[in-house]
Amino acid sequence: MPTSSEEDVAPPPGAAPPRLLALAAFRFPHGDAMSNRLLQLARAATPPGTPTLVVNDWPADGTRPPADPPLPPGVRLISIGGGAHGPLTRWLRRRARPLRMLAALRRAGVRPRDLTGVYLPLSLWNLTTWAVLRSATRCRVTVDVLERHDPEQFPRGRLAPYFLRHRWGLFLAGRLADRVIAVSETIAGHFVRRGRPTLVVPPQVDLAEHPAPAPPPIAEGVRLLYAGSAGPKDLLSVVLAGMRGLPRAERDRVRLVIAGFDRDRAASLSDLDEGLLTELADRVTFLGRVPRDRVLEELRRSHFSVLVRPLAGYAQAGFPSKVPESLAAGCPVLLNSTSDLGRYVVDGREGLVLAGPTADDVRDGLVRALALDDAAWWAMSRAARERAGSFDYRLWAPVVSAFVAGPGSAADGAPASSASAASSSGVSR
């Protein structure tokens, strides 16, 4: 369906008026994990017979939103912003964002008072946004919370501006949000203790967009894939150290492909050590930043996606979207268990679960991977694909739609994974 800019926001002829509004400020719809999260939640939350309208404030990075991005049925898009602006202009536009979004709605012929629900991520949640949305729409506002940062993640600790904004947003959501969608049980517990109606929804996928896996025979070697921006949260150096710990003959049968950044930026965008990279240069391939279609193709050609995270608070609170995406592609996961991952990845079935986040743990996992034959790997791949059904947005549609846009707090008949997560932590469902 066509997108709209600030100059052209007319709805499609004959289109039903939207009842649900989703707000974003990303390279929507397929710019990053946040964009994919919002897209799948919008699809799941769309009330039957009416579209969900996404108003996206395109980043001011010199680019413009695409003229005709691919969108699934039931999702309309209005893009505002884009282009290049100076620091002061960007600051002013961020402060005026809720007013600019409401103005875009009115230009599109959408009356805010006709909406039955508003959904937005925690990164866009602040006092101004809450006040403007509640006064203009008079409907419930649902906040999606994907992470809970720790001071140790930032060089300045508790004084880091981003950390302060993040914790302030959590504080406000715990007291002002009408509904909260949490990506994990750990985050959900934080809001349940504060009396907020909360629904646990892990990262969602669309199984239909993932073709069947087609890796080379595993006897030729194990192909690992890491896709994303590692930053300080994912321990890529531990993965390389685990590879280095293998005997030379086995090390030569392991190859790691990294999609998301290139070799020149590895030191600034990850924890990768220059010495390790030099030592294993023939075993590691950098693809740089690649489009989503390329990532999906790499997943179907890989034997395992790899994810190692420390046993830290932020790792327990989040839920890496890499895991559902990998499972949906039929690519088992080599990981250590954090957050709610133990509910979905059982050792030897959907992947190989490491004993911990150390290089020795990775080495031991690689030894097990190298010992697999094709029949054992394909059994694991089929189990991964089957498990991915727990994340498909279609399964979540009844409960998410009722929670965000329905008259009650949530609907009965939640998916099994939602019900178990909710019941074990007292989460409303």
Side-chain angles (χ1 to χ4, degrees):
M1 298 181 67
T3 183
S4 302
S5 67
E6 286 184 292
E7 294 77 26
D8 178 16
V9 294
R19 308 294 288 174
L20 178 64
L21 172 66
L23 305 181
F26 321 117
R27 290 175 171 271
F28 185 85
H30 287 308
D32 51 26
M34 287 292 295
S35 292
N36 191 58
R37 167 74 171 184
L38 183 133
L39 175 64
Q40 303 306 341
L41 269 181
R43 298 174 79 179
T46 299
T50 63
T52 286
L53 177 62
V54 178
V55 178
N56 182 45
D57 191 9
W58 191 267
D61 56 3
T63 64
R64 299 290 299 179
D68 191 18
L71 288 172
V75 178
R76 278 183 55 197
L77 173 63
I78 296 174
S79 290
I80 61 176
H85 304 284
L88 178 59
T89 301
R90 289 197 299 270
W91 184 86
L92 291 173
R93 289 174 70 87
R94 284 196 299 269
R95 296 300 176 274
R97 180 178 284 150
L99 296 174
R100 292 167 51 229
M101 288 179 162
L102 288 178
L105 283 183
R106 294 189 177 94
R107 290 195 299 270
V110 177
R111 297 188 303 178
R113 295 291 174 90
D114 291 340
L115 298 170
T116 58
V118 179
Y119 153 76
L120 73 163
L122 182 70
S123 59
L124 301 187
W125 173 258
N126 55 44
L127 272 175
T128 302
T129 300
W130 171 77
V132 170
L133 291 177
R134 286 305 301 270
S135 62
T137 67
R138 300 289 177 88
C139 64
R140 293 198 308 266
V141 178
T142 301
V143 180
D144 183 32
V145 185
L146 302 180
E147 54 196 357
R148 187 175 188 272
H149 290 304
D150 298 329
E152 295 75 21
Q153 292 179 259
F154 305 92
R156 297 177 60 186
R158 295 184 179 277
L159 297 180
Y162 183 89
F163 174 78
L164 292 172
R165 288 195 300 270
H166 171 74
R167 285 297 179 92
W168 176 240
L170 285 175
F171 176 85
L172 292 177
R175 286 152 180 82
L176 299 178
D178 297 291
R179 300 284 186 271
V180 175
I181 293 178
V183 78
S184 70
E185 287 188 70
T186 298
I187 289 178
H190 171 83
F191 291 103
V192 169
R193 289 190 293 272
R194 285 155 181 78
R196 296 294 94 188
T198 305
L199 178 70
V200 179
V201 182
Q204 298 170 298
V205 298
D206 180 359
L207 281 179
E209 71 175 351
H210 291 272
I218 200 166
E220 297 177 4
V222 172
R223 193 174 192 272
L224 306 175
L225 174 68
Y226 176 85
S229 300
K233 65 183 183 299
D234 296 340
L235 304 179
L236 281 180
S237 62
V238 168
V239 177
L240 264 64
M243 293 170 59
R244 182 180 59 181
L246 293 169
R248 184 56 189 252
E250 294 186 342
R251 185 195 312 171
D252 289 344
R253 295 180 55 215
V254 178
R255 177 172 295 278
L256 172 64
V257 176
I258 297 176
F261 53 93
D262 55 31
R263 172 69 173 80
D264 293 339
R265 304 185 67 192
S268 60
L269 296 179
S270 72
D271 69 339
L272 286 172
D273 176 79
E274 188 65 34
L276 272 174
L277 284 174
T278 301
E279 186 175 350
L280 298 173
D282 62 334
R283 299 287 91 203
V284 181
T285 301
F286 288 89
L287 300 181
R289 187 176 178 88
V290 294
R292 177 175 172 77
D293 289 347
R294 177 66 184 278
V295 173
L296 298 183
E297 179 60 25
E298 292 296 325
L299 278 171
R300 72 185 292 262
R301 294 173 53 206
S302 299
H303 295 107
F304 291 91
S305 64
V306 60
L307 179 69
V308 181
R309 288 190 166 181
L311 303 178
Y314 72 87
Q316 300 300 332
F319 193 118
S321 60
K322 300 175 182 65
V323 173
E325 291 282 350
S326 185
L327 297 177
C331 179
V333 191
L334 183 76
L335 50 65
N336 66 312
S337 191
T338 58
S339 184
D340 300 339
L341 293 177
R343 293 181 176 272
Y344 303 98
V345 181
V346 176
D347 185 42
R349 192 166 70 190
E350 295 89 2
L352 297 176
V353 179
L354 307 177
T358 70
D360 289 344
D361 297 322
V362 174
R363 180 201 61 207
D364 294 344
L366 292 175
V367 169
R368 295 177 62 198
L370 289 165
L372 294 172
D373 58 20
D374 281 337
W377 184 87
W378 278 104
M380 200 175 291
S381 175
R382 287 190 295 270
R385 177 78 173 180
E386 181 179 351
R387 175 63 72 185
S390 300
F391 301 99
D392 191 87
Y393 81 91
R394 298 169 185 86
L395 181 71
W396 289 89
V399 66
V400 175
S401 178
F403 188 78
V404 175
S409 60
D412 293 331
S417 53
S418 171
S420 61
S423 62
S424 63
S425 59
V427 182
S428 169
R429 65 176 179 91

